[in-house]
Amino acid sequence: MNNREIAENIFMAGVRSVLPEKLISGIMRLEGSILTISDHKILLDNIKNIYVIGAGKASAAMGHYVESILGDRITGGHIVVKYGYSCKLKRIKVSEAGHPIPDENGFKATEEIIKISAQAFENDLVICLISGGGSALLTDLPEGILPEELYIVNNLLVRCGATINEINSVRKHLSLVKGGQLARIVKPAQLVTLVLSDVTGNPLEVIASGPTVPDPSTFKDALKVIEDYALATDITSGVLNYLKDGASGIHPETPKPGDPLFSGTMNFLAGTNSIALRAAKNKADSMGFKTNIIDSELRGDVENVCESVISTAISFKNNNEIQKPVCLLYGGETTVRVKENGHGGRNQHLALSASIRLKDLPGITLLAAGTDGTDGPTDAAGAVADSETVIRASSLNIDPVNYLGEFDSYNFFKRVGGHVFTGPTFTNVMDLLIVLVE
């Protein structure tokens, strides 16, 4: 087994540790009529209806294991997932919709989720399943905004280099369900939310734009993001005016921390990137590597991150006092400001950038991939690179620098080799970055 294959094995060990089957069974159990979620107990004898709603790439798979626990106790529900991430459920309807750019299916599914949430009453229980991708999938139209206008602003946000916190502060203020507003619709029913985190630091108010938790961001914060990334001239006047009107108090703010609205709601982290990192470390250790988790909250511009990671790998390689081979692990999510119209994603871009730096550095292998199985709008989870990558490209008369400048990492690895393909993994806890040093 070569180092590229070893890196993929370590990556998949991390992915398998955060599959919904393990996560849901680890946090939820039913004993008689007592439902226990984490350390909270709910007496189902007092519950008339149980509704299950959700949004995100992993939410249908989460729903499958919730159904396996609650069975016919579930009255009904609706979950929306990214295309290709659906699974057939018995009591809960599943819709597929656009991600990362919302589409008509997303609007329709969200309408159904709102209807179900609104029909829940005081003696009912609503279980909400949230995972990464929920911000784009759980989507609605605020007053006076057209679907095309939301498409434009979402596309600009995901390409401008903004952090997920910044992107979601805008999304929350162009919605009537995000930023805690879904909890307002569910009231007065009991509301329990299970969350798979795809955001560094696991802030519940940011994951899938926090539809069931208090929102500390404001319309003014959303406007600042538009200003900071110079998007005001590119978004429509309708969106810009809606945000300005909100900042002036014409539209109601999202519910804030301390709002009594949340007194009957509970939120539980079911899965995080740290779980995947620990499993990856255990796998690397078992394969004979001296393994170090370098950063569990990796973030920042992809080029800066790449430079730092390669520099760290070189320092390990050149230190004769460190036992080899070494595996360096990172978990988190980088950002990339897309300036051209190439095809790719942040992990493939990072791997391509790394391949250029590794040209004259044999003995270092880098894999960057998303635990959800998709990197950007591509069918690849990511890519793996080493010193042979650029040598291979040169033999094919392919210039990696040009592909990097065109933000066309997908087509580079398609021609040169190095893609990591997993298909939909039905989970999502950000990215894993694995570096092997001989």
Side-chain angles (χ1 to χ4, degrees), residues 354-407:
S355 72
I356 297 169
R357 291 174 166 88
L358 292 174
K359 178 183 177 182
D360 299 314
L361 292 169
I364 298 176
T365 302
L366 178 145
L367 180 149
T371 57
D372 59 354
T374 57
D375 182 38
T378 77
D379 59 353
V384 59
D386 54 26
S387 62
E388 296 295 318
T389 303
V390 169
I391 295 173
R392 169 70 175 161
S394 297
S395 71
L396 298 171
N397 294 317
I398 293 171
D399 186 352
V401 175
N402 285 345
Y403 278 82
L404 188 70
E406 293 293 324
F407 292 81

Side-chain angles (χ1 to χ4, degrees), residues 404-425:
L404 188 70
E406 293 293 324
F407 292 81
D408 200 20
S409 54
Y410 180 87
N411 286 311
F412 173 84
F413 286 107
K414 183 178 180 179
R415 296 186 64 187
V416 175
H419 267 138
V420 176
F421 291 107
T422 64
T425 61

Side-chain angles (χ1 to χ4, degrees), residues 18 35 47 50 67 76 112 125 169 200 225 230-231 241 268 300 354 398 400 406 428 438:
V18 289
L35 176 64
I47 300 297
I50 298 177
E67 277 195 345
E112 292 302 312
L125 170 65
S169 70
T200 54
V225 174
L231 303 180
N241 289 336
F268 300 97
I398 293 171
E406 293 293 324
N428 186 11
E438 292 181 2

Side-chain angles (χ1 to χ4, degrees), residues 233-245:
T233 57
D234 296 316
I235 64 175
T236 65
S237 58
V239 167
L240 187 60
N241 289 336
Y242 185 88
L243 294 175
K244 287 181 177 179
D245 287 346

Side-chain angles (χ1 to χ4, degrees), residues 127-143:
I127 299 175
C128 184
L129 307 174
I130 292 295
S131 69
S135 288
L137 295 164
L138 188 68
T139 189
D140 62 314
L141 291 170
E143 181 183 353

Side-chain angles (χ1 to χ4, degrees), residues 48-335:
K48 183 178 180 181
N49 297 295
I50 298 177
Y51 300 104
V52 181
I53 59 176
K57 298 172 189 175
S59 56
M62 294 168 74
H64 171 75
Y65 294 105
V66 170
E67 277 195 345
S68 71
I69 294 170
L70 292 173
D72 291 342
R73 291 178 181 268
I74 297 173
T75 304
H78 201 117
I79 286 170
V80 57
V81 298
K82 179 179 178 176
Y83 292 112
Y85 282 71
S86 179
C87 58
K88 189 173 182 180
L89 304 182
K90 296 178 180 179
R91 310 285 294 180
I92 308 163
K93 183 176 179 181
V94 179
S95 295
E96 293 188 338
H99 176 277
I101 307 303
D103 66 6
E104 184 179 357
N105 282 354
F107 293 124
K108 290 179 178 178
T110 302
E111 285 181 13
E112 292 302 312
I113 290 171
I114 290 173
K115 288 179 183 177
I116 291 169
S117 301
Q119 72 185 32
F121 291 100
E122 189 171 358
N123 294 326
D124 296 336
L125 170 65
V126 176
I127 299 175
C128 184
L129 307 174
I130 292 295
S131 69
S135 288
L137 295 164
L138 188 68
T139 189
D140 62 314
L141 291 170
E143 181 183 353
I145 303 297
L146 298 174
E148 294 75 13
E149 295 181 279
L150 280 186
Y151 301 155
I152 291 170
V153 70
N154 269 280
N155 188 46
L156 290 168
L157 286 168
V158 299
R159 292 171 62 89
C160 73
T163 66
I164 190 63
N165 304 54
E166 293 171 322
I167 292 171
N168 285 356
S169 70
V170 178
R171 286 170 165 169
K172 284 186 279 191
H173 289 88
L174 292 172
S175 170
L176 301 177
V177 292
K178 298 180 176 71
Q181 297 177 94
L182 185 59
R184 181 184 287 154
I185 299 169
V186 169
K187 201 76 174 177
Q190 291 187 58
L191 174 60
V192 175
T193 303
L194 303 182
V195 180
L196 265 64
S197 174
D198 70 329
V199 181
T200 54
N202 309 317
L204 293 174
E205 71 275 9
V206 178
I207 302 165
S209 294
T212 63
V213 298
D215 175 31
S217 74
T218 65
F219 275 103
K220 290 182 180 179
D221 293 328
L223 275 174
K224 188 174 187 303
V225 174
I226 299 300
E227 294 167 0
D228 287 349
Y229 290 91
L231 303 180
T233 57
D234 296 316
I235 64 175
T236 65
S237 58
V239 167
L240 187 60
N241 289 336
Y242 185 88
L243 294 175
K244 287 181 177 179
D245 287 346
S248 299
I250 294 175
H251 304 304
E253 260 294 355
T254 50
K256 304 304 175 193
D259 193 315
L261 162 70
F262 299 103
S263 60
T265 66
M266 290 162 287
N267 297 274
F268 300 97
L269 270 172
T272 66
N273 185 267
S274 294
I275 296 173
L277 276 176
R278 288 195 296 270
K281 182 181 185 304
N282 291 339
K283 181 66 173 180
D285 286 342
S286 74
M287 300 179 83
F289 288 87
K290 182 68 175 177
T291 313
N292 299 268
I293 296 177
I294 303 297
D295 191 348
S296 61
E297 295 190 7
L298 188 70
R299 68 184 82 189
D301 178 77
V302 66
E303 289 291 345
N304 294 336
V305 167
C306 183
E307 183 176 351
S308 174
V309 169
I310 297 301
S311 177
T312 300
I314 292 171
S315 69
F316 271 81
K317 182 176 175 60
N318 293 339
N319 190 333
N320 294 326
E321 296 181 3
I322 293 177
Q323 180 184 340
K324 310 291 193 310
V326 172
C327 176
L328 311 178
L329 296 176
Y330 300 77
E333 192 169 280
T334 61
T335 55

